[in-house]
Amino acid sequence: MSPTSLTALYQQLILEHYRHPHNKSELPDVGLQSSACNPVCGDEVTVQLRVQEDRILQANFTGHGCSISQASVSMMTEVLDGCTFDEAESLAQRFEAMMMGDEKAAQDPSLGDLTALQGVSRFSVRVPCALLGFRALRGAIASAQDRDDLEGAVH
């Protein structure tokens, strides 16, 4: 496939996730949640996780913003199902590396559709939009770990 047609395919995938986001709804019986905002452009995302121990059973989101932020968080929720917190953090690190221009990170198949956002790395002003959902994800995971630390301190 030529680079031009691959770019067009990626753009189409981003628009598809923006127009028809996956897992964009309130999650009943939410276990963890965290919100993130990009004050520069006004994008807002809340990530909700249903978890069992340290495994993500389901990830949903709500919010609004540009096509990059909304497509990114839509794609993110798809790859999180079944991940442990450590696996989710590893995924977040690889995605962030890809957003910083690491081409090796972009080859990681565990990123799934998120690789379509690789071109965003060329536009530094758009990178925070792509990372917004992962900021919220990390906040949700941190809240679980803080809760575990508190419970451990009580015993």
Side-chain angles (χ1 to χ4, degrees):
M1 187 175 287
S2 75
T4 304
S5 58
L6 188 59
T7 299
L9 178 65
Y10 281 171
Q11 289 174 345
Q12 183 61 36
L13 185 59
I14 292 167
L15 287 174
E16 182 63 27
H17 273 275
Y18 175 64
R19 292 179 182 143
H20 306 286
H22 301 194
N23 304 309
K24 186 173 185 179
S25 65
E26 292 278 333
L27 188 60
D29 304 321
V30 64
L32 301 171
Q33 79 174 20
S34 181
S35 298
C37 176
N38 182 348
V40 174
C41 62
D43 293 359
E44 296 179 4
V45 168
T46 298
V47 171
Q48 299 179 320
L49 305 175
R50 180 176 296 130
V51 299
Q52 184 175 29
E53 295 178 20
D54 76 336
R55 187 166 300 278
I56 298 168
L57 301 178
Q58 186 175 355
N60 281 31
F61 78 100
T62 58
H64 59 88
C66 69
S67 60
I68 300 298
S69 72
Q70 299 301 290
S72 177
V73 71
S74 172
M75 293 172 188
M76 181 193 78
T77 62
E78 289 193 311
V79 297
L80 287 176
D81 288 350
C83 286
T84 65
F85 290 163
D86 287 342
E87 292 166 340
E89 176 58 34
S90 179
L91 183 73
Q93 289 173 2
R94 284 191 304 278
F95 184 73
E96 186 171 347
M98 183 180 79
M99 287 295 98
M100 298 303 136
D102 183 336
E103 291 185 24
K104 185 177 179 187
Q107 302 305 315
D108 188 332
S110 68
L111 289 175
D113 285 352
L114 287 162
T115 59
L117 294 160
Q118 180 182 11
V120 173
S121 67
R122 295 188 309 266
F123 307 98
S124 59
V125 72
R126 302 302 298 218
V127 169
C129 299
L131 294 172
L132 192 61
F134 282 99
R135 280 187 38 219
L137 169 68
R138 285 176 158 158
I141 292 171
S143 72
Q145 292 167 339
D146 289 346
R147 184 172 43 192
D148 289 346
D149 289 346
L150 288 174
E151 289 174 2
V154 171
H155 290 90

